[in-house]
Amino acid sequence: MSLQLAQYPFLRIVIPLILGNAMALLSLPPYLFFLSSALSVIFLIWYAATKEPLKKYKLNKLYPIPLFLLLLSLGWFNGNINKPSCINDKYVGKPIFITVEVEEAKHGNVTLNTISSAIINNNKEKLSIVFQGNDYKIKQGSIIRCRLTLDKIMPSVVPYSFDYAQYLKSKGILYRGFVEEGNYIIIGEHNNIFTAANSIRNSIIKSIFSCGFSDDTANFLITILTGDYQFLDDETKISFSHSGLAHILAVSGLHIAIISIIIAFALSFLDRLKMKWMRLTISLIFVWAFCFITGLSPSSVRASIMATFLITAILSHKKHNTTNALAAAAVITLIIDPLAISDIGFQLSYLSVATIVILANPMTIGGRFSWKKKISELFAVSIAAQLGTCFISILYFKVLPLSFIIANVIIVPILPFFVISAILAILLSVIGVNIGFIHACINAFYDGIRYIADFCSSIDIMTFDNIWLTPIAAISFTLVIISIGLWLRNRNETYLIWVASVFAAIAFTDLTYQIWTTPRQGYFISDEYESTNIVALDNNELFIINSNNDSLEIANFLERQKAMLYRLGINKTHFITDDFQNSKLAHHKSHSYFNGKTFIFANGNYRKKTIQKKRLHIDYAIITNHFYGSINDLEKIYEISTYILPKEIYKDKRLELAKELELLEKDFIDMSKGGKCEEGFS
């Protein structure tokens, strides 16, 4: 692999395109991009108008710079026009009637979570809509007239936590609504290629369930053959993730390759009839059909586009270039959906293939057809893919599994046989032929795969969890791996070692800065819907007081906020449900004190409380959902600086309290609107 970018035209396009899309998501000032576009156009016009050969030759050396800036600007423009837009305030926070079309539907126990689209004020908006009750009549393509209240999705106020609002924003969603039972009616259905794919997917799922496989085997097959994760339990997901086999669950190049092998084998007779072109064309149709059926995930789209380039090259008798195909796949994906750059699947999929292309060959030993080469290739591909994605995986999942080498070398080679056998059994079942022996073998096959995954994930010394990285450090370390890989392919390009050193220095500097600036003391009030927590930090110890005095709710809160615990280096947590006191914190009933600040959970009815001659000073009064009465009742007893209206308060009650506080000219923080109450965190 040479580093001459002229040999990789799509690589020259995708790099500035990715940077432009990323800058659009970061909302950098638009004048920067208009300026770079103007300079690029001026230079290109000047270059085209130049007639003198010598002058034009000198300008050739500068030609890549304006071209890069122009593509950067186009990437920014494409990303900017596809960013989700804000809805007019007159449609937000009040009941409205709208017609929505369901794009994705995930059925739960008591609710149906959908991603839907609606035309609001002549703009098409993407919304997260939850329907009360699990109505199985609602599916992808359903057109529904409903009454709901749209609210803007606010970022979490918990420091260093997973930002669900940012996650939905990366998918183009800024608002969500809740539809109560009886407040909607299905008025039609929109049939298109996506709803047809969903219908086929549901038919495949039904066929798998009716085959007679064990429940675990059926759930696993549904996941890898349809891309539907909802049947897979959390324990299985964790086991595959900790053993480095998570990529098996995501429809990717591995699955596309297996489907291609099956189709190629089934149509091999066409080669003997000198109709190889037909076999390749049919194979390509099946690849894209599989991609659509499995939901067009970034990894499957990438693999399908690369397969398209490969087959097109074979049919046109041209040399296939994997690097160009990968870059072209990224270009096409980002042009269609610029927001894909922030998708975890997109990042992991392209990074894994890129590092396989760069690193796998230098790590392979042995002659061209030797057994050493075949075995070393298995290890090389697995190690290269993991090296390329490990730091991004740590950023998102906080886990580094080293057992991936063992698990992948054993399971990946046998997975095609498992999938082929399962597809054969499903097809036979569809025509009414059920062979118990085949089903038993497939169940045993899956049990073996699961045993290996469980065994590898259970080796404590092979799994490092609770690892914390910053985005800058994760990206920099990944670029270090890529730079070193390129140097291994091109030993004469010694500057790449310096490039790797610079990125490593950036990563370590950022980590050092973050460690130095990690807070040692502070507090914040959480924004949970079930209850509210006062969370106090004191030198790697966390103290939590819950508005419902419920230790289970505290445990659930901590389970959801593992990222925060890793970031702060917490080694001990205290669930405070009874009277407690130390040098920094004191708690008695609903009253709390921490580091000079006083808090109170306003529970119950304060009308009958004795009015004190001197009101007790309270810095923060947290109104809970169990508060009955008025703000005036509290003011007779306490001298309150700031009121907190958390999300646990029902909407009507919160609006009533907010109105009362405004009339009394009291300071308050409405956490449902993104308000924060914290000190000591940045």
Side-chain angles (χ1 to χ4, degrees), residues 17-18 20-25 74-84 169-172 330-343 346:
L17 195 65
I18 287 175
N21 280 348
M23 290 174 176
L25 292 177
L74 289 174
W76 171 85
F77 180 75
N78 189 35
N80 208 52
I81 63 173
N82 284 280
K83 285 171 64 176
K169 185 179 179 181
S170 71
K171 293 182 175 295
V331 168
I332 294 169
T333 303
L334 291 174
I335 288 173
I336 296 172
D337 181 17
L339 296 177
I341 192 175
S342 58
D343 184 270
F346 176 91

PDB file of all heavy atoms in Angstrom, residues 17-18 20-25 74-84 169-172 330-343 346:
ATOM      1  N   LEU A  17     -14.147  15.225   3.539  1.00  0.00           N
ATOM      2  CA  LEU A  17     -15.597  15.087   3.701  1.00  0.00           C
ATOM      3  C   LEU A  17     -15.935  14.735   5.148  1.00  0.00           C
ATOM      4  O   LEU A  17     -16.854  15.302   5.751  1.00  0.00           O
ATOM      5  CB  LEU A  17     -16.127  14.011   2.760  1.00  0.00           C
ATOM      6  CG  LEU A  17     -17.642  13.965   2.538  1.00  0.00           C
ATOM      7  CD1 LEU A  17     -18.103  15.229   1.827  1.00  0.00           C
ATOM      8  CD2 LEU A  17     -18.019  12.739   1.724  1.00  0.00           C
ATOM      9  N   ILE A  18     -15.179  13.797   5.735  1.00  0.00           N
ATOM     10  CA  ILE A  18     -15.386  13.407   7.133  1.00  0.00           C
ATOM     11  C   ILE A  18     -15.115  14.588   8.062  1.00  0.00           C
ATOM     12  O   ILE A  18     -15.895  14.862   8.987  1.00  0.00           O
ATOM     13  CB  ILE A  18     -14.479  12.212   7.501  1.00  0.00           C
ATOM     14  CG1 ILE A  18     -15.007  10.929   6.850  1.00  0.00           C
ATOM     15  CG2 ILE A  18     -14.403  12.035   9.012  1.00  0.00           C
ATOM     16  CD1 ILE A  18     -14.114   9.732   7.056  1.00  0.00           C
ATOM     17  N   GLY A  20     -15.285  17.773   7.343  1.00  0.00           N
ATOM     18  CA  GLY A  20     -16.348  18.766   7.153  1.00  0.00           C
ATOM     19  C   GLY A  20     -17.624  18.376   7.871  1.00  0.00           C
ATOM     20  O   GLY A  20     -18.265  19.206   8.530  1.00  0.00           O
ATOM     21  N   ASN A  21     -18.009  17.084   7.772  1.00  0.00           N
ATOM     22  CA  ASN A  21     -19.203  16.604   8.469  1.00  0.00           C
ATOM     23  C   ASN A  21     -19.049  16.746   9.977  1.00  0.00           C
ATOM     24  O   ASN A  21     -19.981  17.142  10.682  1.00  0.00           O
ATOM     25  CB  ASN A  21     -19.462  15.133   8.124  1.00  0.00           C
ATOM     26  CG  ASN A  21     -20.143  14.974   6.778  1.00  0.00           C
ATOM     27  OD1 ASN A  21     -20.621  15.938   6.207  1.00  0.00           O
ATOM     28  ND2 ASN A  21     -20.171  13.765   6.268  1.00  0.00           N
ATOM     29  N   ALA A  22     -17.849  16.398  10.477  1.00  0.00           N
ATOM     30  CA  ALA A  22     -17.593  16.490  11.915  1.00  0.00           C
ATOM     31  C   ALA A  22     -17.682  17.940  12.387  1.00  0.00           C
ATOM     32  O   ALA A  22     -18.236  18.230  13.451  1.00  0.00           O
ATOM     33  CB  ALA A  22     -16.226  15.903  12.249  1.00  0.00           C
ATOM     34  N   MET A  23     -17.148  18.862  11.581  1.00  0.00           N
ATOM     35  CA  MET A  23     -17.189  20.278  11.954  1.00  0.00           C
ATOM     36  C   MET A  23     -18.612  20.825  11.931  1.00  0.00           C
ATOM     37  O   MET A  23     -18.962  21.706  12.727  1.00  0.00           O
ATOM     38  CB  MET A  23     -16.296  21.088  11.009  1.00  0.00           C
ATOM     39  CG  MET A  23     -14.813  20.812  11.222  1.00  0.00           C
ATOM     40  SD  MET A  23     -13.781  21.631   9.993  1.00  0.00           S
ATOM     41  CE  MET A  23     -12.144  21.212  10.599  1.00  0.00           C
ATOM     42  N   ALA A  24     -19.445  20.295  11.035  1.00  0.00           N
ATOM     43  CA  ALA A  24     -20.852  20.708  10.999  1.00  0.00           C
ATOM     44  C   ALA A  24     -21.567  20.284  12.270  1.00  0.00           C
ATOM     45  O   ALA A  24     -22.353  21.036  12.843  1.00  0.00           O
ATOM     46  CB  ALA A  24     -21.546  20.108   9.776  1.00  0.00           C
ATOM     47  N   LEU A  25     -21.265  19.057  12.744  1.00  0.00           N
ATOM     48  CA  LEU A  25     -21.882  18.569  13.976  1.00  0.00           C
ATOM     49  C   LEU A  25     -21.415  19.369  15.183  1.00  0.00           C
ATOM     50  O   LEU A  25     -22.150  19.505  16.170  1.00  0.00           O
ATOM     51  CB  LEU A  25     -21.554  17.084  14.173  1.00  0.00           C
ATOM     52  CG  LEU A  25     -22.185  16.119  13.162  1.00  0.00           C
ATOM     53  CD1 LEU A  25     -21.723  14.699  13.425  1.00  0.00           C
ATOM     54  CD2 LEU A  25     -23.703  16.190  13.227  1.00  0.00           C
ATOM     55  N   LEU A  74     -17.789  21.401   1.292  1.00  0.00           N
ATOM     56  CA  LEU A  74     -18.940  20.616   0.832  1.00  0.00           C
ATOM     57  C   LEU A  74     -19.403  19.646   1.918  1.00  0.00           C
ATOM     58  O   LEU A  74     -20.608  19.439   2.112  1.00  0.00           O
ATOM     59  CB  LEU A  74     -18.572  19.853  -0.446  1.00  0.00           C
ATOM     60  CG  LEU A  74     -18.390  20.702  -1.706  1.00  0.00           C
ATOM     61  CD1 LEU A  74     -17.880  19.842  -2.865  1.00  0.00           C
ATOM     62  CD2 LEU A  74     -19.704  21.370  -2.098  1.00  0.00           C
ATOM     63  N   GLY A  75     -18.419  19.052   2.633  1.00  0.00           N
ATOM     64  CA  GLY A  75     -18.763  18.172   3.743  1.00  0.00           C
ATOM     65  C   GLY A  75     -19.498  18.916   4.831  1.00  0.00           C
ATOM     66  O   GLY A  75     -20.482  18.420   5.394  1.00  0.00           O
ATOM     67  N   TRP A  76     -19.020  20.134   5.149  1.00  0.00           N
ATOM     68  CA  TRP A  76     -19.689  20.955   6.159  1.00  0.00           C
ATOM     69  C   TRP A  76     -21.099  21.317   5.706  1.00  0.00           C
ATOM     70  O   TRP A  76     -22.059  21.226   6.482  1.00  0.00           O
ATOM     71  CB  TRP A  76     -18.888  22.228   6.409  1.00  0.00           C
ATOM     72  CG  TRP A  76     -19.637  23.207   7.265  1.00  0.00           C
ATOM     73  CD1 TRP A  76     -19.697  23.236   8.624  1.00  0.00           C
ATOM     74  CD2 TRP A  76     -20.455  24.290   6.798  1.00  0.00           C
ATOM     75  NE1 TRP A  76     -20.502  24.259   9.042  1.00  0.00           N
ATOM     76  CE2 TRP A  76     -20.992  24.930   7.941  1.00  0.00           C
ATOM     77  CE3 TRP A  76     -20.796  24.779   5.537  1.00  0.00           C
ATOM     78  CZ2 TRP A  76     -21.837  26.028   7.854  1.00  0.00           C
ATOM     79  CZ3 TRP A  76     -21.633  25.874   5.449  1.00  0.00           C
ATOM     80  CH2 TRP A  76     -22.141  26.477   6.595  1.00  0.00           C
ATOM     81  N   PHE A  77     -21.221  21.735   4.434  1.00  0.00           N
ATOM     82  CA  PHE A  77     -22.531  22.138   3.909  1.00  0.00           C
ATOM     83  C   PHE A  77     -23.513  20.968   3.940  1.00  0.00           C
ATOM     84  O   PHE A  77     -24.658  21.103   4.386  1.00  0.00           O
ATOM     85  CB  PHE A  77     -22.371  22.655   2.474  1.00  0.00           C
ATOM     86  CG  PHE A  77     -23.672  23.094   1.849  1.00  0.00           C
ATOM     87  CD1 PHE A  77     -24.262  24.295   2.214  1.00  0.00           C
ATOM     88  CD2 PHE A  77     -24.308  22.289   0.910  1.00  0.00           C
ATOM     89  CE1 PHE A  77     -25.470  24.692   1.639  1.00  0.00           C
ATOM     90  CE2 PHE A  77     -25.506  22.677   0.337  1.00  0.00           C
ATOM     91  CZ  PHE A  77     -26.086  23.884   0.706  1.00  0.00           C
ATOM     92  N   ASN A  78     -23.055  19.796   3.498  1.00  0.00           N
ATOM     93  CA  ASN A  78     -23.915  18.615   3.474  1.00  0.00           C
ATOM     94  C   ASN A  78     -24.337  18.226   4.893  1.00  0.00           C
ATOM     95  O   ASN A  78     -25.495  17.878   5.144  1.00  0.00           O
ATOM     96  CB  ASN A  78     -23.173  17.449   2.812  1.00  0.00           C
ATOM     97  CG  ASN A  78     -24.072  16.257   2.550  1.00  0.00           C
ATOM     98  OD1 ASN A  78     -25.251  16.413   2.246  1.00  0.00           O
ATOM     99  ND2 ASN A  78     -23.531  15.072   2.678  1.00  0.00           N
ATOM    100  N   GLY A  79     -23.370  18.291   5.832  1.00  0.00           N
ATOM    101  CA  GLY A  79     -23.701  17.959   7.215  1.00  0.00           C
ATOM    102  C   GLY A  79     -24.629  18.975   7.842  1.00  0.00           C
ATOM    103  O   GLY A  79     -25.524  18.626   8.622  1.00  0.00           O
ATOM    104  N   ASN A  80     -24.445  20.257   7.494  1.00  0.00           N
ATOM    105  CA  ASN A  80     -25.233  21.323   8.104  1.00  0.00           C
ATOM    106  C   ASN A  80     -26.686  21.295   7.659  1.00  0.00           C
ATOM    107  O   ASN A  80     -27.597  21.490   8.471  1.00  0.00           O
ATOM    108  CB  ASN A  80     -24.609  22.677   7.774  1.00  0.00           C
ATOM    109  CG  ASN A  80     -24.893  23.718   8.832  1.00  0.00           C
ATOM    110  OD1 ASN A  80     -24.659  23.501  10.020  1.00  0.00           O
ATOM    111  ND2 ASN A  80     -25.420  24.847   8.412  1.00  0.00           N
ATOM    112  N   ILE A  81     -26.916  21.040   6.364  1.00  0.00           N
ATOM    113  CA  ILE A  81     -28.303  21.049   5.880  1.00  0.00           C
ATOM    114  C   ILE A  81     -29.067  19.808   6.326  1.00  0.00           C
ATOM    115  O   ILE A  81     -30.302  19.786   6.275  1.00  0.00           O
ATOM    116  CB  ILE A  81     -28.366  21.172   4.335  1.00  0.00           C
ATOM    117  CG1 ILE A  81     -27.704  19.961   3.663  1.00  0.00           C
ATOM    118  CG2 ILE A  81     -27.763  22.478   3.864  1.00  0.00           C
ATOM    119  CD1 ILE A  81     -27.889  19.937   2.160  1.00  0.00           C
ATOM    120  N   ASN A  82     -28.336  18.787   6.777  1.00  0.00           N
ATOM    121  CA  ASN A  82     -29.001  17.577   7.242  1.00  0.00           C
ATOM    122  C   ASN A  82     -29.118  17.505   8.765  1.00  0.00           C
ATOM    123  O   ASN A  82     -29.624  16.516   9.299  1.00  0.00           O
ATOM    124  CB  ASN A  82     -28.253  16.338   6.732  1.00  0.00           C
ATOM    125  CG  ASN A  82     -28.524  16.057   5.273  1.00  0.00           C
ATOM    126  OD1 ASN A  82     -29.541  15.489   4.907  1.00  0.00           O
ATOM    127  ND2 ASN A  82     -27.608  16.484   4.419  1.00  0.00           N
ATOM    128  N   LYS A  83     -28.625  18.535   9.457  1.00  0.00           N
ATOM    129  CA  LYS A  83     -28.765  18.564  10.914  1.00  0.00           C
ATOM    130  C   LYS A  83     -30.237  18.749  11.279  1.00  0.00           C
ATOM    131  O   LYS A  83     -30.988  19.429  10.565  1.00  0.00           O
ATOM    132  CB  LYS A  83     -27.939  19.714  11.506  1.00  0.00           C
ATOM    133  CG  LYS A  83     -26.450  19.453  11.543  1.00  0.00           C
ATOM    134  CD  LYS A  83     -25.677  20.685  11.939  1.00  0.00           C
ATOM    135  CE  LYS A  83     -25.995  21.136  13.341  1.00  0.00           C
ATOM    136  NZ  LYS A  83     -25.156  22.292  13.742  1.00  0.00           N
ATOM    137  N   PRO A  84     -30.671  18.147  12.374  1.00  0.00           N
ATOM    138  CA  PRO A  84     -32.073  18.326  12.779  1.00  0.00           C
ATOM    139  C   PRO A  84     -32.347  19.778  13.133  1.00  0.00           C
ATOM    140  O   PRO A  84     -31.489  20.471  13.696  1.00  0.00           O
ATOM    141  CB  PRO A  84     -32.197  17.416  14.011  1.00  0.00           C
ATOM    142  CG  PRO A  84     -30.806  17.244  14.514  1.00  0.00           C
ATOM    143  CD  PRO A  84     -29.923  17.283  13.310  1.00  0.00           C
ATOM    144  N   LYS A 169     -29.684  13.037  18.988  1.00  0.00           N
ATOM    145  CA  LYS A 169     -29.382  14.130  18.062  1.00  0.00           C
ATOM    146  C   LYS A 169     -28.557  13.627  16.889  1.00  0.00           C
ATOM    147  O   LYS A 169     -28.723  14.069  15.749  1.00  0.00           O
ATOM    148  CB  LYS A 169     -28.641  15.240  18.803  1.00  0.00           C
ATOM    149  CG  LYS A 169     -28.381  16.471  17.942  1.00  0.00           C
ATOM    150  CD  LYS A 169     -27.662  17.561  18.736  1.00  0.00           C
ATOM    151  CE  LYS A 169     -27.388  18.779  17.866  1.00  0.00           C
ATOM    152  NZ  LYS A 169     -26.675  19.848  18.622  1.00  0.00           N
ATOM    153  N   SER A 170     -27.635  12.682  17.167  1.00  0.00           N
ATOM    154  CA  SER A 170     -26.817  12.114  16.089  1.00  0.00           C
ATOM    155  C   SER A 170     -27.659  11.330  15.097  1.00  0.00           C
ATOM    156  O   SER A 170     -27.222  11.066  13.981  1.00  0.00           O
ATOM    157  CB  SER A 170     -25.728  11.205  16.676  1.00  0.00           C
ATOM    158  OG  SER A 170     -26.290  10.011  17.205  1.00  0.00           O
ATOM    159  N   LYS A 171     -28.874  10.967  15.498  1.00  0.00           N
ATOM    160  CA  LYS A 171     -29.802  10.274  14.606  1.00  0.00           C
ATOM    161  C   LYS A 171     -30.842  11.235  14.022  1.00  0.00           C
ATOM    162  O   LYS A 171     -31.800  10.804  13.376  1.00  0.00           O
ATOM    163  CB  LYS A 171     -30.504   9.139  15.357  1.00  0.00           C
ATOM    164  CG  LYS A 171     -29.560   8.010  15.766  1.00  0.00           C
ATOM    165  CD  LYS A 171     -30.308   6.892  16.465  1.00  0.00           C
ATOM    166  CE  LYS A 171     -29.382   5.724  16.747  1.00  0.00           C
ATOM    167  NZ  LYS A 171     -28.874   5.070  15.525  1.00  0.00           N
ATOM    168  N   GLY A 172     -30.651  12.526  14.297  1.00  0.00           N
ATOM    169  CA  GLY A 172     -31.549  13.534  13.731  1.00  0.00           C
ATOM    170  C   GLY A 172     -32.798  13.777  14.550  1.00  0.00           C
ATOM    171  O   GLY A 172     -33.785  14.305  14.033  1.00  0.00           O
ATOM    172  N   ALA A 330     -17.498   4.842   2.193  1.00  0.00           N
ATOM    173  CA  ALA A 330     -17.653   5.900   3.198  1.00  0.00           C
ATOM    174  C   ALA A 330     -18.192   7.180   2.564  1.00  0.00           C
ATOM    175  O   ALA A 330     -19.067   7.851   3.133  1.00  0.00           O
ATOM    176  CB  ALA A 330     -16.319   6.166   3.887  1.00  0.00           C
ATOM    177  N   VAL A 331     -17.680   7.535   1.376  1.00  0.00           N
ATOM    178  CA  VAL A 331     -18.141   8.740   0.676  1.00  0.00           C
ATOM    179  C   VAL A 331     -19.637   8.645   0.380  1.00  0.00           C
ATOM    180  O   VAL A 331     -20.414   9.564   0.673  1.00  0.00           O
ATOM    181  CB  VAL A 331     -17.352   8.959  -0.631  1.00  0.00           C
ATOM    182  CG1 VAL A 331     -18.018  10.029  -1.492  1.00  0.00           C
ATOM    183  CG2 VAL A 331     -15.920   9.359  -0.324  1.00  0.00           C
ATOM    184  N   ILE A 332     -20.061   7.518  -0.190  1.00  0.00           N
ATOM    185  CA  ILE A 332     -21.476   7.337  -0.552  1.00  0.00           C
ATOM    186  C   ILE A 332     -22.356   7.386   0.688  1.00  0.00           C
ATOM    187  O   ILE A 332     -23.417   8.036   0.705  1.00  0.00           O
ATOM    188  CB  ILE A 332     -21.661   5.998  -1.302  1.00  0.00           C
ATOM    189  CG1 ILE A 332     -20.936   6.058  -2.650  1.00  0.00           C
ATOM    190  CG2 ILE A 332     -23.145   5.698  -1.518  1.00  0.00           C
ATOM    191  CD1 ILE A 332     -20.823   4.718  -3.353  1.00  0.00           C
ATOM    192  N   THR A 333     -21.920   6.709   1.758  1.00  0.00           N
ATOM    193  CA  THR A 333     -22.705   6.689   2.993  1.00  0.00           C
ATOM    194  C   THR A 333     -22.861   8.089   3.569  1.00  0.00           C
ATOM    195  O   THR A 333     -23.963   8.487   3.984  1.00  0.00           O
ATOM    196  CB  THR A 333     -22.039   5.772   4.038  1.00  0.00           C
ATOM    197  OG1 THR A 333     -21.888   4.465   3.501  1.00  0.00           O
ATOM    198  CG2 THR A 333     -22.889   5.693   5.301  1.00  0.00           C
ATOM    199  N   LEU A 334     -21.770   8.868   3.596  1.00  0.00           N
ATOM    200  CA  LEU A 334     -21.812  10.198   4.200  1.00  0.00           C
ATOM    201  C   LEU A 334     -22.574  11.205   3.345  1.00  0.00           C
ATOM    202  O   LEU A 334     -23.160  12.146   3.881  1.00  0.00           O
ATOM    203  CB  LEU A 334     -20.392  10.703   4.456  1.00  0.00           C
ATOM    204  CG  LEU A 334     -19.623   9.960   5.555  1.00  0.00           C
ATOM    205  CD1 LEU A 334     -18.181  10.439   5.620  1.00  0.00           C
ATOM    206  CD2 LEU A 334     -20.300  10.142   6.904  1.00  0.00           C
ATOM    207  N   ILE A 335     -22.564  11.023   2.046  1.00  0.00           N
ATOM    208  CA  ILE A 335     -23.357  11.911   1.180  1.00  0.00           C
ATOM    209  C   ILE A 335     -24.841  11.673   1.418  1.00  0.00           C
ATOM    210  O   ILE A 335     -25.637  12.608   1.520  1.00  0.00           O
ATOM    211  CB  ILE A 335     -22.994  11.694  -0.305  1.00  0.00           C
ATOM    212  CG1 ILE A 335     -21.598  12.264  -0.590  1.00  0.00           C
ATOM    213  CG2 ILE A 335     -24.021  12.362  -1.215  1.00  0.00           C
ATOM    214  CD1 ILE A 335     -21.080  11.962  -1.983  1.00  0.00           C
ATOM    215  N   ILE A 336     -25.222  10.397   1.535  1.00  0.00           N
ATOM    216  CA  ILE A 336     -26.634  10.058   1.773  1.00  0.00           C
ATOM    217  C   ILE A 336     -27.058  10.436   3.189  1.00  0.00           C
ATOM    218  O   ILE A 336     -28.141  10.984   3.404  1.00  0.00           O
ATOM    219  CB  ILE A 336     -26.870   8.551   1.526  1.00  0.00           C
ATOM    220  CG1 ILE A 336     -26.604   8.217   0.049  1.00  0.00           C
ATOM    221  CG2 ILE A 336     -28.290   8.146   1.915  1.00  0.00           C
ATOM    222  CD1 ILE A 336     -26.616   6.735  -0.252  1.00  0.00           C
ATOM    223  N   ASP A 337     -26.196  10.133   4.164  1.00  0.00           N
ATOM    224  CA  ASP A 337     -26.536  10.388   5.572  1.00  0.00           C
ATOM    225  C   ASP A 337     -25.323  10.941   6.308  1.00  0.00           C
ATOM    226  O   ASP A 337     -24.543  10.193   6.893  1.00  0.00           O
ATOM    227  CB  ASP A 337     -27.012   9.089   6.240  1.00  0.00           C
ATOM    228  CG  ASP A 337     -27.400   9.295   7.698  1.00  0.00           C
ATOM    229  OD1 ASP A 337     -27.607  10.465   8.092  1.00  0.00           O
ATOM    230  OD2 ASP A 337     -27.516   8.300   8.437  1.00  0.00           O
ATOM    231  N   PRO A 338     -25.137  12.271   6.301  1.00  0.00           N
ATOM    232  CA  PRO A 338     -23.966  12.872   6.972  1.00  0.00           C
ATOM    233  C   PRO A 338     -23.917  12.584   8.468  1.00  0.00           C
ATOM    234  O   PRO A 338     -22.841  12.570   9.063  1.00  0.00           O
ATOM    235  CB  PRO A 338     -24.145  14.376   6.712  1.00  0.00           C
ATOM    236  CG  PRO A 338     -25.063  14.466   5.552  1.00  0.00           C
ATOM    237  CD  PRO A 338     -25.961  13.275   5.641  1.00  0.00           C
ATOM    238  N   LEU A 339     -25.082  12.351   9.096  1.00  0.00           N
ATOM    239  CA  LEU A 339     -25.116  12.085  10.533  1.00  0.00           C
ATOM    240  C   LEU A 339     -24.539  10.714  10.877  1.00  0.00           C
ATOM    241  O   LEU A 339     -24.287  10.418  12.051  1.00  0.00           O
ATOM    242  CB  LEU A 339     -26.552  12.176  11.056  1.00  0.00           C
ATOM    243  CG  LEU A 339     -27.224  13.556  10.971  1.00  0.00           C
ATOM    244  CD1 LEU A 339     -28.661  13.470  11.445  1.00  0.00           C
ATOM    245  CD2 LEU A 339     -26.467  14.585  11.788  1.00  0.00           C
ATOM    246  N   ALA A 340     -24.303   9.880   9.851  1.00  0.00           N
ATOM    247  CA  ALA A 340     -23.758   8.541  10.104  1.00  0.00           C
ATOM    248  C   ALA A 340     -22.379   8.600  10.733  1.00  0.00           C
ATOM    249  O   ALA A 340     -21.961   7.649  11.401  1.00  0.00           O
ATOM    250  CB  ALA A 340     -23.691   7.748   8.791  1.00  0.00           C
ATOM    251  N   ILE A 341     -21.681   9.719  10.559  1.00  0.00           N
ATOM    252  CA  ILE A 341     -20.324   9.830  11.102  1.00  0.00           C
ATOM    253  C   ILE A 341     -20.314   9.696  12.623  1.00  0.00           C
ATOM    254  O   ILE A 341     -19.324   9.255  13.218  1.00  0.00           O
ATOM    255  CB  ILE A 341     -19.678  11.167  10.675  1.00  0.00           C
ATOM    256  CG1 ILE A 341     -18.186  11.161  10.990  1.00  0.00           C
ATOM    257  CG2 ILE A 341     -20.358  12.346  11.333  1.00  0.00           C
ATOM    258  CD1 ILE A 341     -17.459  12.376  10.495  1.00  0.00           C
ATOM    259  N   SER A 342     -21.403  10.052  13.277  1.00  0.00           N
ATOM    260  CA  SER A 342     -21.467   9.951  14.739  1.00  0.00           C
ATOM    261  C   SER A 342     -22.059   8.624  15.197  1.00  0.00           C
ATOM    262  O   SER A 342     -22.203   8.397  16.398  1.00  0.00           O
ATOM    263  CB  SER A 342     -22.305  11.108  15.308  1.00  0.00           C
ATOM    264  OG  SER A 342     -23.615  11.087  14.761  1.00  0.00           O
ATOM    265  N   ASP A 343     -22.372   7.740  14.254  1.00  0.00           N
ATOM    266  CA  ASP A 343     -22.926   6.426  14.595  1.00  0.00           C
ATOM    267  C   ASP A 343     -21.798   5.479  15.018  1.00  0.00           C
ATOM    268  O   ASP A 343     -20.776   5.364  14.324  1.00  0.00           O
ATOM    269  CB  ASP A 343     -23.682   5.857  13.396  1.00  0.00           C
ATOM    270  CG  ASP A 343     -24.365   4.539  13.713  1.00  0.00           C
ATOM    271  OD1 ASP A 343     -23.726   3.479  13.532  1.00  0.00           O
ATOM    272  OD2 ASP A 343     -25.518   4.576  14.140  1.00  0.00           O
ATOM    273  N   PHE A 346     -20.964   2.825  12.408  1.00  0.00           N
ATOM    274  CA  PHE A 346     -20.199   3.360  11.276  1.00  0.00           C
ATOM    275  C   PHE A 346     -18.720   3.452  11.637  1.00  0.00           C
ATOM    276  O   PHE A 346     -17.846   3.007  10.888  1.00  0.00           O
ATOM    277  CB  PHE A 346     -20.746   4.742  10.902  1.00  0.00           C
ATOM    278  CG  PHE A 346     -19.975   5.439   9.806  1.00  0.00           C
ATOM    279  CD1 PHE A 346     -20.334   5.271   8.481  1.00  0.00           C
ATOM    280  CD2 PHE A 346     -18.898   6.259  10.102  1.00  0.00           C
ATOM    281  CE1 PHE A 346     -19.625   5.917   7.466  1.00  0.00           C
ATOM    282  CE2 PHE A 346     -18.185   6.903   9.104  1.00  0.00           C
ATOM    283  CZ  PHE A 346     -18.551   6.731   7.786  1.00  0.00           C
TER     284      PHE A 346
END
